[in-house]
Amino acid sequence: MDFELTEEQRLIRDTAHDFARTEIAPKAAEIDKSGRWPAEIISKMAELGFLGMAIPEEYGGAGLDALSYAMAMEEISAACASCGVIMSVNNSLFCDPVYKFGTAEQKKDVLTPVAAGKKIGCFGLTEPMSGSDAQTMVTEAKKTGDTWTLNGAKNWITNGPHADYVLVFAVTERPSAPGAKVRHTAFLVPKGTPGFTLNPADHKLGIHGAHSCTIFFENVKLPDSAIVGGAGDGFKVAMATLDGGRIGIAAQALGIARAALEVSVAYAKERKSFGVPISQHQAIQFMLSDMATELDAARLLTWRAATMKDKGVRHSAESAAAKLYASETATKVAHRAIQIHGGYGYSTEYPVERHYRDARITEIYEGTSEIQRIVIAASLLKG
Ligand code: CAA
């Protein structure tokens, strides 16, 4: 097994690291506190090619691999988890499926500006009463003549308030025969299409700069050319997309955990108790060791999943394992980081309380930890 990165991968990681450290990290606390959308950082991420990293250059992307994407995601998220998920949704949940399943026209007209970061995309799967059990969605699209009419609502849509396009999943066939499967279809819906409205942004525990909202579709008219991946194939489009998306969230969790570990190491060397820096107490050393070891294990799982994606082999269980372990690690690492910081860790003066709040969502979005366990178990038990 070769753990060596290529020169290009190292360059991407270092570029992301420098950009995140100098241009994002100094603003992260303010973005969290104000809850503002980091527009100027998104523009710079676009200039660096970070909004369509794995999309070929002919479609506005940077033409890189999934491992480079995972490394850049970790770096950006270590500075600001909100910026990380904005980037992740645009890359994994919008650009990837439009590239993989879209028509030549969709790639030219929609993917190209989104991958270049001139426009923003989002992913509309979750509904008020359908999260983990995604097939039970009620949003539906009915065809009359050449036109589809879309009705329903999607919620927790990250990037929703600012997105120019939503990839929406809807039921398009509800057979009455017992046992027959409901069929879903994915549609590209431009913001501003008549019948498309938004609620104000959601209020959340963390990732305050990454805005999400509910989007409503009321008699939204769509042509056949809005379909991504074939009528009736939408659920598979959604699931295959999430296989890639979960690598992005795993990498976001790595970034959050790494940031929490780094400030904990620095603090442990400075803070004294019982006459010595607390880093000399074994209780603190053991916590730091566990944090570092779990973070490393999470990174290896994430890189394995990314490498499998690059090889074009099915990686559903590997992505689920990476996301499960990295997200639970991020929460545990941030928890210990607060413990090491004591009372200061609980105060907004130090960044670890932000890391703790930001980490928590990684165990929920793009499939809860319980859903990841279901995906892993299905792979173990199949056949
Ligand atoms: N790739 C391709 N096809 C797949 C697939 C994959 N990874 N996983 C399943 N499929 C196919 C199956 O083969 C099956 O095909 P057939 O109908 O031809 O047999 C079909 O999809 C249905 O599969 P299942 O029977 O396994 O589906 P299920 O109803 O049991 O659901 C589930 C499986 C894993 C629980 C799924 O519902 C799931 O992943 N739920 C979680 C949803 C989720 O992650 N939501 C997050 C929303 S996005 C978000 O959070 C964005 C954000 O803002 C950051």
Side-chain angles (χ1 to χ4, degrees), residues 20-320:
R21 189 176 53 82
T22 56
E23 303 202 38
I24 305 182
K27 296 179 174 177
E30 173 264 310
I31 291 168
D32 174 59
K33 200 166 178 196
S34 65
R36 77 173 172 88
W37 177 251
E40 80 287 11
I41 294 173
I42 298 166
S43 299
K44 288 198 177 160
M45 290 202 289
E47 279 170 32
L48 288 169
F50 285 179
L51 294 182
M53 289 189 75
I55 303 301
E57 289 175 26
E58 64 172 310
Y59 297 122
L64 297 165
D65 57 10
L67 182 54
S68 300
Y69 164 62
M71 290 190 297
M73 264 298 296
E74 176 180 335
E75 297 302 330
I76 301 297
S77 303
C80 169
S82 294
C83 296
V85 72
I86 293 167
M87 170 177 160
S88 173
V89 167
N90 206 69
N91 274 278
S92 310
L93 296 191
F94 191 87
C95 290
D96 259 19
V98 179
Y99 176 60
K100 194 164 172 197
F101 301 104
T103 61
E105 197 180 36
Q106 289 165 346
K107 289 183 200 175
K108 184 167 139 300
D109 297 343
V110 177
L111 175 62
T112 303
V114 177
K118 292 183 179 138
K119 305 258 181 197
I120 296 287
C122 66
F123 183 79
L125 179 68
T126 303
E127 300 188 355
M129 294 305 289
S130 155
S132 291
D133 189 2
Q135 290 212 52
T136 58
M137 67 180 74
V138 293
T139 294
E140 59 179 10
K142 287 189 176 155
K143 194 170 184 187
T144 322
D146 286 341
T147 305
W148 294 89
T149 303
L150 177 70
N151 277 291
K154 297 288 175 180
N155 72 338
W156 306 125
I157 307 305
T158 305
N159 292 355
H162 306 275
D164 300 282
Y165 296 99
V166 192
L167 184 63
V168 181
F169 297 85
V171 172
T172 46
E173 221 182 304
R174 221 181 266 286
S176 50
K181 286 194 168 182
V182 169
R183 308 304 302 184
H184 309 80
T185 301
F187 295 92
L188 269 177
V189 185
K191 185 184 202 165
T193 308
F196 179 120
T197 53
L198 303 170
N199 262 359
D202 304 315
H203 296 282
K204 299 173 299 204
L205 178 68
I207 54 164
H208 289 156
H211 298 169
S212 65
C213 69
T214 302
I215 305 180
F216 300 93
F217 306 95
E218 199 181 342
N219 293 322
V220 170
K221 304 289 182 202
L222 299 167
D224 271 333
S225 60
I227 292 175
V228 176
D233 291 336
F235 197 71
K236 288 180 189 169
V237 171
M239 292 298 110
T241 300
L242 286 165
D243 286 345
R246 288 166 183 162
I247 298 173
I249 300 306
Q252 184 200 23
L254 295 179
I256 298 168
R258 199 186 84 206
L261 173 61
E262 283 172 0
V263 287
S264 299
V265 169
Y267 184 80
K269 287 188 198 164
E270 275 168 23
R271 172 75 179 183
K272 289 195 171 131
S273 75
F274 304 100
V276 292
I278 62 169
S279 59
Q280 290 188 25
H281 299 310
Q282 227 175 30
I284 301 295
Q285 292 176 0
F286 283 5
M287 275 197 261
L288 292 173
S289 304
D290 288 348
M291 289 155 83
T293 305
E294 289 162 22
L295 173 57
D296 247 0
R299 188 178 290 110
L300 291 174
L301 285 172
T302 306
W303 286 15
R304 177 185 66 171
T307 306
M308 288 176 74
K309 184 169 192 282
D310 282 329
K311 287 188 176 147
V313 291
R314 176 103 179 229
H315 53 93
S316 309
E318 290 77 8
S319 290

